[in-house]
Amino acid sequence: MKAAALAAVLALSTSLTAFPYQSAEAVERGGTLNFARYDGSKLVDPIYADRNPDIWMVGSLFSTLLETDPDSGELVGGLAESYEVAADGKTITLQLRDGLKFSDGSALTGEDVVFSLGRARNPDLGPWSGLLSAISDVTADGRAITITLDNPDPALLSMLATFNTAIVSKAAFDAASGETDQEKSAAIFAAGSPGVGSGPFFLSGFEQGSTMAFSANPHYWKEGEDGKPLPYIDGVNFEVIPDDATRVLKLSAGEVDIAEFIPFSRVKELDADPAINMYLFPSTRIIYSPINTRETRADGSPNPLADKRVRQALNYATHKDALIQLILQGAGKPMSSPVMSSATRLAVDMSPLYGFDLEKAKALIEEAGLEPGTEITLTTLAGSADDATIFAALQQMWQPLGINLVAEQVDGATRGAKNRSGEFDIHTYGWVDDVNDPSQVTGWLGYYPTRKAVGTGWNNAEFNALYEASSTEMDPEKRADQYRQMQEIYAEAAPLLFMYETPFAVAVSGKVDGYIQTPLGNNIFENVSLER
C-alpha cells in the first residue's frame, strides 16, 4: 500500500476495518503463511486468554455464535444463522447452522454451546465472566439456543461475537487429562491437535516463546469466493521475534510474509519497497496518561493535580500533533473522544479535544494558584523509547506553565502496582478494545467501581449513574445519549492526559492477499491467499 493509500486507511473509522477481500478470479489455494510476531501466545483458550498475543489468536481457532461484519461493523450470524431478542430484552434465541463440525469432524451441537457459555460466565474460571453477568441460564433444544437474562443487557449481542464466548468442544474437555478446567485447557493446548475448536484453523504445533503453527480446518463452515471451504491456505507458521529491526529484516529478506508492529520510523521506508505492502490498519488503540485526582498524594502531601483546572491546563499545553510527529512519524491522530477511540461504537467526535492553547493553559494555572516550580512526576516504562520521547516533549511543553516535570522509570509490573495503589502523579498507559462495544473501555476509564477510573481516583456520581443506566438501556438512541453525556462529563473533568490514537502498522509481502487486522487487534487469516 503506497503513500496515497496510507492516508485513506488512516481516515477509516468504522467499528471494524473495511479492507476488501480478493475476487474469486484472484484466489490461489495452498501454501503456508509465515508470520513474524512481536510476542508469543501462552494459552489460546477463549476464557483464559487475557493478553493481546493470546486474544488476537482466538478467532483463528474458535468460532463464535455471532460475528461482526468486517465491512459494515454490524452484527451478523456466525455459528448461529439467526438470532432474535425478546421485546423485554431478557431472552435471546439463536438458531445454529445445520451440519456444524469441530476441526476433528465431530458434530458441534447445542450441548457444546451450553457448555461453552457456562465456562465463559463462570466467575471461578476466566477473567471475562463479568461481561456475561446478566445471563441467568442457557438451554438448547436441538439447534435452538435460548439465553435467559436477569436484566436487559444492550452489550450482550456484541459479547456473543467476542472471543470469550467462542464455542469449544465439550467432548474434548471431558476427554482431556487434568482434574480442573484449567488443567484440561492446558493439556488440550499442549497437545496441538484438531478437535476443540471450529475456527478456520487448528493448533498443530507450539513451542513456548518461539514458534506456533496453525493448520487449516478441513471442516470449517464458511465458504470462500471460489465456492470451496475456507481457508485458502494450508496453514500459518508464527515465529516470535521481539526485536523490531529483526522482524523487518526477515520480511525484507523474504523469510517471513508478514511482520507486525512495525516501528513508525520505518513505515515510509517499507512503503517505498515495491515488494511490500505497508498497511496502517485502523485500530481502537489509544495512548493516554492517567492523572491522580486524589486530594492528597500517597505520601500525604497536597496533590496539585486534584484541581481540575491544573489537569485541563496540562491538556491544553500538550501539543498532540507534535507528539504524533515525534513518536508516530505522523501516522496517528489526536484522541477525539475522551474515553474511547474514534473507531469504538458510540464515540463522540469532540475534536479538537483540548487543542493546543498555551495561553489558555497559563491562565488556568494562574487561576488555580499553582506555585511556580511545582514538581510533578511522570512515571514511564524503563527502556521504552516512546515513553522517553513523551517525557522529554512534555517536560519542554509544560515548562512555560512553571511545572518541573521529573521522570520515574519503572518496569510494567511496578507501573501497574502504582496505578492500583494511587502512588503516582501521572503515568503513561494505553488501551485496545477487547469487545466491539463501548461499555468495556468506558467502564475501565471512567466508572469508579471498576478500577477507580483507571486508577485516577476520579469518582463522579453523575457519570457512574449514567454508566449504570446504560448497562440496561435497550433503546439505541437513549443509550447513545447516555454515552454522549458521559464523554462530555469526562472531558470537562480531564482525569487523563488525552494524547493520541495509533493504527496497527503491519508490513505484508506483495505475495499475500486478503490479510486484515481488525480495530480490536484480531488477525484474520481465513481469507488469505498466497501467490505461488
Side-chain angles (χ1 to χ4, degrees), residues 107-119:
L108 188 158
T109 68
E111 185 180 18
D112 297 299
V113 175
V114 173
F115 172 74
S116 299
L117 295 186
R119 291 181 79 227

Side-chain angles (χ1 to χ4, degrees), residues 86-344:
D88 64 0
K90 296 176 69 173
T91 305
I92 300 172
T93 54
L94 306 101
Q95 186 76 10
L96 292 178
R97 298 179 188 274
D98 190 22
L100 293 171
K101 295 181 180 181
F102 288 106
S103 55
D104 64 353
S106 62
L108 188 158
T109 68
E111 185 180 18
D112 297 299
V113 175
V114 173
F115 172 74
S116 299
L117 295 186
R119 291 181 79 227
R121 64 192 185 93
N122 186 340
D124 296 327
L125 298 181
W128 306 101
S129 60
L131 298 176
L132 306 175
S133 60
I135 296 178
S136 61
D137 195 22
V138 182
T139 59
D141 182 6
R143 292 194 289 127
I145 308 297
T146 301
I147 300 175
T148 307
L149 310 181
D150 288 323
N151 51 263
D153 183 349
L156 192 57
L157 288 177
S158 291
M159 299 310 166
L160 297 180
T162 301
F163 68 93
N164 65 304
T165 62
I167 306 306
V168 302
S169 167
K170 182 178 184 299
F173 270 82
D174 287 345
S177 60
E179 296 297 321
T180 66
D181 188 277
Q182 291 92 337
E183 291 173 351
K184 287 176 176 291
S185 176
I188 290 171
F189 186 76
S193 58
V196 71
S198 63
F201 301 89
F202 65 87
L203 181 68
S204 54
F206 177 73
E207 185 177 338
Q208 181 70 55
S210 179
T211 60
M212 185 166 66
F214 289 172
S215 291
N217 172 8
H219 305 287
Y220 190 45
W221 55 277
K222 287 186 187 179
E223 286 188 350
E225 295 290 339
D226 57 2
K228 300 176 183 178
L230 290 173
Y232 298 119
I233 55 177
D234 298 325
V236 185
N237 285 337
F238 300 94
E239 184 178 357
V240 179
I241 306 173
D243 183 71
D244 295 341
T246 304
R247 289 199 304 281
V248 171
L249 183 63
K250 281 182 171 286
L251 176 71
S252 299
E255 296 178 31
V256 299
D257 302 303
I258 300 179
E260 65 177 357
F261 282 92
I262 297 299
F264 290 103
S265 60
R266 305 289 300 273
V267 166
K268 288 185 179 179
E269 167 199 342
L270 293 174
D271 182 50
D273 189 331
I276 293 173
N277 288 321
M278 185 67 239
Y279 291 112
L280 298 179
F281 290 104
S283 85
T284 56
R285 187 169 185 248
I286 53 176
I287 303 299
Y288 58 89
S289 291
I291 302 174
N292 188 346
T293 69
R294 298 165 180 84
E295 289 298 321
T296 59
R297 287 167 160 153
D299 62 5
S301 63
N303 179 15
L305 299 171
D307 190 325
K308 73 177 180 182
R309 293 170 296 186
V310 176
R311 302 193 299 269
Q312 291 171 341
L314 297 184
N315 270 288
Y316 279 121
T318 301
H319 201 310
K320 283 83 171 182
D321 288 321
L323 287 179
I324 290 166
Q325 288 297 327
L326 286 168
I327 298 164
L328 307 181
Q329 308 297 307
K333 59 184 179 181
M335 287 178 63
S336 56
S337 162
V339 294
M340 62 187 78
S341 73
S342 59
T344 302

